[in-house]
Amino acid sequence: MAESNFIDYVKILCRSGKGGAGSRHFHRAKYVPKGGPDGGDGGRGGHVILRGNAQMWTLLPLKYRRHVFAGNGAPGTGGRSFGKDGEDVVIEVPCGTVVFDAETGDFLCEVNEDGEEVKLLRGGRGGLGNWHFRTATNQAPRYAQPGEPAIEKSVILELKLLADVGLVGFPNAGKSTLLSAISAARPKIADYPFTTMEPQLGIVSYRDNRSFVMADIPGIIEGASEGRGLGLRFLRHIERNAVLLFLVPADADDITAQYEILLRELREFNPQLMDKQRILAISKSDLLDQELKEAIEPTLPSDVPHVFISAVTGEGIDHLKDILWGAITDEANQLSTPAITHRPLDGHHRVREEDEFIFEPEPLPDEPADDELDDLEDFDDDFLDVED
């Protein structure tokens, strides 16, 4: 991960703007005695808004922008002049970003479409000026409302890639090789496990100029749902996939047993993944002859369609595309239905280095900084010494 710019999990501190105070001003003009109250309202504090951006693919910009503060509303003035509203802050995020409360881990909101805006923190309302409180029995109110305070919250942004097909398998199952064979993606391929250190997306061409998106995540090992290996950190990316393609190599000791292990890890991570349509592909099938394939076929799971493929020779690739396209276009597998139920962040689903990140304290704009307070204290001490 150190050599990559792909960031899919970041913790930031957000603060909306506080509302401006209402004015207690009274009208003063020549030849107008007792002009009466004319204090204006304070301005609204700025909102913190999330906006989806289809051109972004990582949360890297927020890695170096840990503090997101909106502007405060200006106080009202005389002549029923309203204060200026605080400046809103818009945070551009990739489509598929989910927001959680950093303290409790509760789900807050998500952004899925390009241009979609979600108000994360609402700015404080401005206070009413004394002009609103005039009555027949109280013609000179000398009070006004203060503005609402700002809202400050630490949030965790988690990116879940949008793709039609998600590849699931153990390390060295041939996921990256398959993705490179059927798309223009060029993931890293080597003869040792965990060569894929970050999710990879590829656009797979189909008949009649049609295409679909396939996502490859790092290999899953047994116990990934409890925090073992790298798979847990990236399992979030298959929560938005319409179809799950399980890849098990033909030279595995027990293909069905490996499939069941992968299925169990997904179930432990998020039980809702069991509602997605599953397809089993036996990779590296060029190692098998027809007699071995016929012997293996009865032992495969009966509740999931399977296909023997080889990314090297191209065996079964077209048949696999047909099965995937049929599953993707099935109305039950559309990304919009059913809605994803995002599990709260717990100890297993957090990234430790982000969860333990400590924000440096920053004073509010209208509060004196620590060095200014120190100067005032030194001045008071000097003044007392002179008095003595």
Side-chain angles (χ1 to χ4, degrees):
M1 293 297 294
E3 3 180 277
S4 170
N5 287 332
F6 182 78
I7 302 296
D8 59 354
Y9 188 104
V10 67
K11 178 181 177 182
I12 63 174
L13 177 66
C14 299
R15 183 195 297 159
S16 63
K18 69 176 184 180
S23 173
R24 296 177 294 175
H25 190 269
F26 288 87
H27 180 64
R28 292 291 181 265
K30 193 174 183 181
Y31 306 121
V32 184
K34 300 181 181 179
D38 68 344
D41 301 343
R44 169 188 61 81
H47 303 310
V48 178
I49 301 172
L50 299 177
R51 179 187 296 160
N53 187 345
Q55 303 302 319
M56 295 181 63
W57 63 281
T58 175
L59 295 172
L60 180 65
L62 293 176
K63 189 80 171 178
Y64 305 102
R65 188 189 174 191
R66 297 287 189 169
H67 299 84
V68 179
F69 297 156
N72 293 330
T77 55
R80 293 173 57 189
S81 297
F82 294 172
K84 182 181 178 181
D85 289 344
E87 185 177 358
D88 296 337
V89 174
V90 178
I91 306 175
E92 300 275 351
V93 296
C95 298
T97 300
V98 186
V99 185
F100 298 92
D101 189 317
E103 303 297 331
T104 63
D106 295 335
F107 166 76
L108 297 179
C109 62
E110 61 180 331
V111 180
N112 293 327
E113 310 220 351
D114 184 32
E116 178 185 0
E117 292 189 353
V118 176
K119 191 182 297 181
L120 180 60
L121 295 181
R122 181 181 62 85
R125 292 179 297 181
L128 299 178
N130 61 351
W131 184 81
H132 291 275
F133 302 104
R134 73 199 191 289
T135 63
T137 57
N138 185 14
Q139 298 183 4
R142 299 184 179 276
Y143 52 85
Q145 282 184 340
E148 287 186 343
I151 302 175
E152 185 173 283
K153 186 183 291 291
S154 296
V155 297
I156 289 176
L157 277 67
E158 192 178 63
L159 175 60
K160 299 181 179 181
L161 294 179
L162 298 173
D164 300 307
V165 180
L167 285 170
V168 183
F170 285 96
N172 275 4
K175 302 186 300 300
S176 299
T177 305
L178 174 63
L179 186 65
S180 64
I182 63 177
S183 73
R186 292 295 175 263
K188 183 178 180 180
I189 300 174
D191 58 354
Y192 55 86
F194 295 113
T195 53
T196 301
M197 300 294 290
E198 64 185 45
Q200 299 284 340
L201 289 179
I203 299 178
V204 181
S205 299
Y206 191 60
R207 299 187 180 97
D208 301 327
N209 294 324
R210 292 174 292 184
S211 62
F212 56 89
V213 180
M214 180 178 288
D216 174 24
I217 67 169
I220 301 173
I221 64 175
E222 188 171 4
S225 59
E226 300 175 357
R228 293 184 61 195
L230 296 174
L232 175 66
R233 182 165 181 175
F234 301 103
L235 276 174
R236 66 176 75 99
H237 295 294
I238 64 175
E239 288 185 307
R240 295 190 184 279
N241 302 152
V243 180
L244 300 181
L245 176 60
F246 289 78
L247 221 63
V248 180
D251 55 357
D253 295 335
D254 191 335
I255 295 177
T256 303
Q258 288 203 7
Y259 168 75
E260 293 295 337
I261 292 174
L262 294 171
L263 202 61
R264 183 172 66 250
E265 295 302 326
L266 297 188
R267 186 186 300 111
E268 293 293 330
F269 179 77
N270 188 349
Q272 195 178 12
L273 293 176
M274 297 298 99
D275 299 333
K276 298 181 181 293
Q277 184 164 339
R278 303 185 294 272
I279 297 171
L280 175 61
I282 295 89
S283 62
K284 307 178 184 179
S285 60
D286 53 306
L287 301 176
L288 306 176
D289 56 18
Q290 188 61 32
E291 184 178 352
L292 286 175
K293 292 178 184 177
E294 293 176 358
I296 292 175
E297 233 174 315
T299 65
L300 298 177
S302 58
D303 59 340
V304 56
H306 62 270
V307 57
F308 289 89
I309 65 170
S310 172
V312 176
T313 64
E315 175 190 353
I317 296 297
D318 291 336
H319 183 40
L320 175 64
K321 289 183 180 181
D322 293 336
I323 296 177
L324 292 175
W325 184 258
I328 293 169
T329 54
D330 188 354
E331 293 183 359
N333 291 326
Q334 298 302 315
L335 288 177
S336 57
T337 56
I340 297 176
T341 303
H342 300 282
R343 77 285 177 275
L345 289 178
D346 55 24
H348 292 312
H349 300 102
R350 290 178 180 263
V351 178
R352 179 176 300 177
E353 58 267 26
E354 287 293 324
D355 194 47
E356 296 177 352
F357 183 85
I358 300 176
F359 299 103
E360 296 180 1
E362 291 193 11
L364 291 170
D366 56 345
E367 294 179 349
D370 293 338
D371 53 350
E372 295 178 1
L373 292 175
D374 294 338
D375 294 341
L376 290 175
E377 292 175 358
D378 295 341
F379 175 80
D380 293 339
D381 294 340
D382 296 340
F383 178 77
L384 292 175
D385 292 341
V386 172
E387 286 291 317
D388 292 340

